[in-house]
Amino acid sequence: MKKRSNLDVCLRLISLVRPLTGYMLLAVLLGLLGHLCAILIPVFGGMVLLDILGTGAHMTARAALIAVGVFALLRGFLRYGEQYCNHFIAFRLLALIRDQVFAALRRLCPAKLEGKDRGDLISVITSDVELLEVFYAHTVSPAAIAALVALLMGGLIAHLHPLLALVALLAYVTVGLVIPLMVSERSGEAGNRFRAQSGDLSAFVLDSLRGLPEILQYGRGRQRLVEMGVRTDQLSRSEEVMKARGGTGAAVTQAAILAFDGAMLVAAASLCMRGDISFAAALTALLCLMSSFGPFISLSALGSGLQNTIGAGNRVLDLLEEEPVTDDIIGRISCSFEGAVADRVSFSYGGEQVLDRVSADFPQGRIIAIAGKNGSGKSTLLKLLMRFWAVESGEIRFSERSIDHINTADLRDMEGFVTQETHLFHDSIANNLRIARQSAGQEEMEEACKKAAIHDFIIGLPRGYETAVGELGDALSGGERQRIGLARAFLHGAPFLLLDEPTSNLDSLNEAVILRAIDRQRGEKTVVLVSHRASAMRMADTVYMVEHGRISG
C-alpha cells in the first residue's frame, strides 16, 4: 500500500467532489443556517428570561418565544436539506468512484491482477468504497460548517467582549481541531490495519468457499474453521482498539467542553462584576458558546472513526492510481489482419527469464502449433500476442506494424483467445456466448456452438440456450465450459485465433470434433494452437517447440 498522510488522502478524496461542487456549497449553506438556528434557540430563550427578570432584554418575552418557535421549525427543514444534499453527494460520488474503480480494473487486467487476491479486490470494490459514504456525507461539509460557525460566533461574541471571544475561539479550536488530530495521531495505522485485515478475511472466506470440496474431501474443515476464527479475532481486536480510542476521544471532548463552558462562565461573571459588560451580555455569551459546540462535536467524533474510512480511502486510491503494465492505445490508423510475427522476443516475470529471443511466424490462413513442457513459456507467448504484457526486447508485428502502434480495440477485434480455464458468468448460456458479440442472433450462436460440439448438449437442457450456468459455471463440467469458450471464439469471428490447450478437458471423441472444426478454419483464419497432444500437432502446418524460453521450428 502506498504511504500517504491522512491529509493527503482527505485532499485526494475531496478533489473527487468537483463535479458536485454546487450541491456541496448548498449543503454547507443549509448546514450553517441550520446550526445558527440551533444556536439561537437557547440564546432567544435567554431573552425570555432576561425580559421576565427585567434586566436589559432587547425584545419582549413573547417576541422571543415566537422567534424560538420559528428557529425550531427552520432548524428541522434546514437539517433535512443539509442531510439530503450530503447523502445525494455521497451516493452520486460512490457511483462515480465505483465506475472509476471498474475502469481501473479494466486498465490493470489481466497483467496487474494476476498476483492480486480476488477476495481482497472484492473487499475494496464493496466495503471500502461503501465506507467512503462516511467521508462525503459526514466529514467534508461538517468541517466547512464548523469553520464558518467558529468565525461567525467568534465575531458575535467579540462584539460583547474580546476576552470572551478569545475563550470561544480557543474552545472551538480545541474541540474541533486539536482533539481530533490528537486522537487521529494516536490511532496511527489502526484504520489501515483494520481494512487490510478485513480484506484478508474476505479473501480467506472466498478461498474457503471455492475450495469447499477439497476441504471436505481431506477433512480440513476444522483446521480451516480455526484459522477463520483466529483471523476474525484479530479483526475484532483491531476494531476494539479503534472503538476504545474513539471512546477516549469522546470523553476528552466532553471534558473539554465542560471546561470551556466553566471558563466562559468565570470570565463572563468576572467581567460583569467589574462592570465591563452587562448581565445580559454575560448570559448571551455563555449561551452562545454552550449551544454552538454541535458542529465541533461532530468533527471530534471523527477523530478515531475516520481512521477506518481513511484506511478504506487509501486502498481505493491505491487501486485508482496503480499504473497498468500496458496502456490502451487509441488514435492510430486502423489496420486489418494480414499475419503476425514474433521477432527475437524476450520476456521475464518476477526476475525469471521466461522467453529468450523467441522468433515465430504466423502467416495468414495457416495453423501453427506450439508445443513444449509446462512452464516453458507457451502461454506467455500468447499473452504477449494479445498485448496483455509488453515485450522487454524484440518486437511483435501485426500486418508489418508493431503491436505497440495498433489500437487496442483493433487488436481485440483481430484476435480470439481461448484459455485452459473458461470463465462463465452467472447468467444464461446465450448471454455468456454474446459476450463475444453482443449483436449475435440465435442462428449465429447455434452455428458457433455446432463448430464447438456443444450445440446438441445445450438444446438437450430444460431451457436450451436460456439455461443458467450457475455460480462460476459450476453447473457445467470442465469440458462443457471449455467448449462454450471455443464457441465464443468462433462467434467472435476474429481472423487470428489463439487457443491455449483448447482440448485439455475433452475426451478423444469430442477432441476429434473440435480439431476438425479448427481444421476447417484453415485458409480463412490464422490459428495458433498450444497443445500437448500429438493429434493437434499432426494437423498443424508448422510446429514450434519451446524449451527453456527458446523456440525451434
Side-chain angles (χ1 to χ4, degrees):
M1 182 180 289
K2 186 177 178 181
K3 185 68 175 177
R4 301 181 185 87
S5 68
N6 289 352
L7 180 60
D8 288 338
V9 176
C10 290
L11 291 176
R12 180 72 176 84
L13 293 176
I14 289 172
S15 70
L16 300 176
V17 182
R18 241 178 255 127
L20 299 170
T21 301
Y23 284 100
M24 181 59 72
L25 293 175
L26 180 59
V28 171
L29 176 62
L30 293 175
L32 176 62
L33 294 175
H35 278 291
L36 290 177
C37 287
I39 292 168
L40 292 176
I41 288 172
V43 171
F44 276 75
M47 297 286 185
V48 175
L49 178 62
L50 290 173
D51 186 56
I52 293 172
L53 295 175
T55 54
H58 296 290
M59 62 174 62
T60 64
R62 181 179 178 182
L65 285 172
I66 292 173
V68 167
V70 171
F71 290 140
L73 188 63
L74 285 174
R75 167 62 172 161
F77 284 110
L78 291 168
R79 178 66 172 169
Y80 176 83
E82 177 202 358
Q83 291 300 305
Y84 180 87
C85 287
N86 279 332
H87 285 86
F88 176 81
I89 292 167
F91 293 124
R92 280 292 298 274
L93 280 173
L94 293 190
L96 291 173
I97 290 171
R98 286 190 183 98
D99 184 64
Q100 291 184 31
V101 165
F102 282 107
L105 291 175
R106 287 194 294 271
R107 288 197 315 272
L108 297 174
C109 185
K112 276 293 186 73
L113 299 187
E114 285 188 357
K116 290 187 181 292
D117 197 300
R118 297 296 187 266
D120 192 47
L121 278 176
I122 291 171
S123 180
V124 172
I125 295 167
T126 55
S127 60
D128 285 345
V129 171
E130 197 67 30
L131 264 175
L132 296 183
E133 185 267 339
V134 175
F135 181 79
Y136 290 115
H138 306 290
T139 305
V140 180
S141 68
I145 291 167
L148 292 173
V149 167
L151 292 174
L152 289 174
M153 297 310 298
L156 175 62
I157 297 174
H159 280 291
L160 302 175
H161 196 280
L163 178 61
L164 301 182
L166 179 62
V167 174
L169 290 174
L170 282 174
Y172 297 148
V173 170
T174 301
V175 175
L177 186 61
V178 175
I179 292 176
L181 288 177
M182 289 176 60
V183 173
S184 178
E185 184 67 26
R186 189 166 176 267
S187 297
E189 290 293 312
N192 289 334
R193 184 168 57 251
F194 179 81
R195 295 314 311 161
Q197 289 175 343
S198 179
D200 288 344
L201 180 60
S202 297
F204 184 82
V205 171
L206 179 62
D207 193 38
S208 299
L209 289 174
R210 297 186 70 171
L212 199 55
E214 287 76 12
I215 292 173
L216 294 175
Q217 178 183 352
Y218 296 109
R220 296 299 178 185
R222 181 168 295 280
Q223 177 185 350
R224 203 76 180 174
L225 187 62
V226 168
E227 188 171 351
M228 187 179 297
V230 171
R231 291 171 182 260
T232 304
D233 289 342
Q234 289 175 343
L235 188 65
S236 297
R237 283 194 293 272
S238 296
E239 186 174 21
E240 185 179 343
V241 170
M242 293 172 59
K243 295 290 186 184
R245 289 171 181 171
T248 301
V252 172
T253 297
Q254 292 301 320
I257 289 172
L258 289 174
F260 280 108
D261 285 343
M264 179 63 82
L265 177 60
V266 170
S270 299
L271 292 172
C272 182
M273 291 174 65
R274 286 167 46 186
D276 292 339
I277 59 173
S278 65
F279 175 72
L283 181 61
T284 300
L286 182 61
L287 291 174
C288 282
L289 180 67
M290 294 178 68
S291 61
S292 61
F293 279 114
F296 304 100
I297 291 174
S298 298
L299 288 183
S300 183
L302 293 171
S304 60
L306 194 58
Q307 286 298 316
N308 196 11
T309 305
I310 288 176
N314 224 345
R315 282 157 55 84
V316 172
L317 291 175
D318 276 342
L319 186 60
L320 293 179
E321 295 174 0
E322 188 163 355
E323 293 295 326
V325 172
T326 56
D327 290 312
D328 282 354
I329 298 172
I330 57 174
R332 305 285 181 164
I333 298 173
S334 296
C335 70
S336 58
F337 181 78
E338 298 174 2
V341 173
D343 185 10
R344 292 170 295 178
V345 168
S346 295
F347 179 79
S348 59
Y349 182 77
E352 181 180 350
Q353 189 82 35
V354 180
L355 295 174
D356 184 17
R357 290 170 293 179
V358 164
S359 294
D361 190 17
F362 309 102
Q364 193 172 13
R366 309 297 288 275
I367 297 177
I368 311 300
I370 301 177
K373 296 179 180 179
N374 288 332
S376 60
K378 305 184 302 297
S379 298
T380 299
L381 179 58
L382 297 191
K383 291 178 181 178
L384 292 174
L385 289 168
M386 289 291 295
R387 202 173 171 271
F388 289 163
W389 298 88
V391 300
E392 292 179 352
S393 64
E395 186 180 48
I396 291 176
R397 295 188 299 273
F398 280 68
S399 307
E400 297 304 319
R401 186 191 298 185
S402 171
I403 195 173
D404 294 326
H405 297 154
I406 298 175
N407 293 324
T408 301
D410 292 340
L411 191 64
R412 297 292 175 260
D413 287 339
M414 284 192 279
E415 295 177 309
F417 186 33
V418 180
T419 63
Q420 298 178 50
E421 296 296 330
T422 298
H423 179 80
L424 297 181
F425 295 90
H426 190 42
D427 205 338
S428 67
I429 291 174
N431 286 338
N432 268 284
L433 289 168
R434 286 195 182 99
I435 288 171
R437 185 152 55 91
Q438 290 293 319
S439 61
Q442 184 66 29
E443 290 184 3
E444 292 171 304
M445 286 192 294
E446 290 181 4
E447 182 62 29
C449 288
K450 287 175 182 176
K451 290 180 181 178
I454 191 68
H455 172 70
D456 291 340
F457 167 78
I458 294 174
I459 60 174
L461 296 172
R463 299 188 62 197
Y465 280 81
E466 296 305 315
T467 302
V469 299
E471 187 75 26
L472 300 175
D474 286 344
L476 302 176
S477 70
E480 290 156 357
R481 289 199 300 272
Q482 196 165 30
R483 280 180 283 168
I484 289 178
L486 278 168
R488 275 180 183 162
F490 291 139
L491 185 62
H492 183 48
F496 190 31
L497 284 180
L498 307 175
L499 309 179
D500 191 358
E501 298 284 1
T503 60
S504 59
N505 292 318
L506 303 181
D507 55 34
S508 57
L509 179 61
N510 280 311
E511 180 194 21
V513 173
I514 295 300
L515 291 179
R516 280 198 300 271
I518 294 172
D519 190 50
R520 284 195 290 269
Q521 307 301 311
R522 193 189 307 271
E524 296 181 12
K525 300 180 186 298
T526 299
V527 180
V528 180
L529 180 60
V530 170
S531 180
H532 287 92
R533 299 192 177 185
S535 52
M537 298 297 105
R538 285 195 296 268
M539 65 176 291
D541 297 307
T542 304
V543 177
Y544 289 107
M545 295 296 299
V546 181
E547 187 174 358
H548 304 303
R550 291 181 175 271
I551 200 166
S552 61

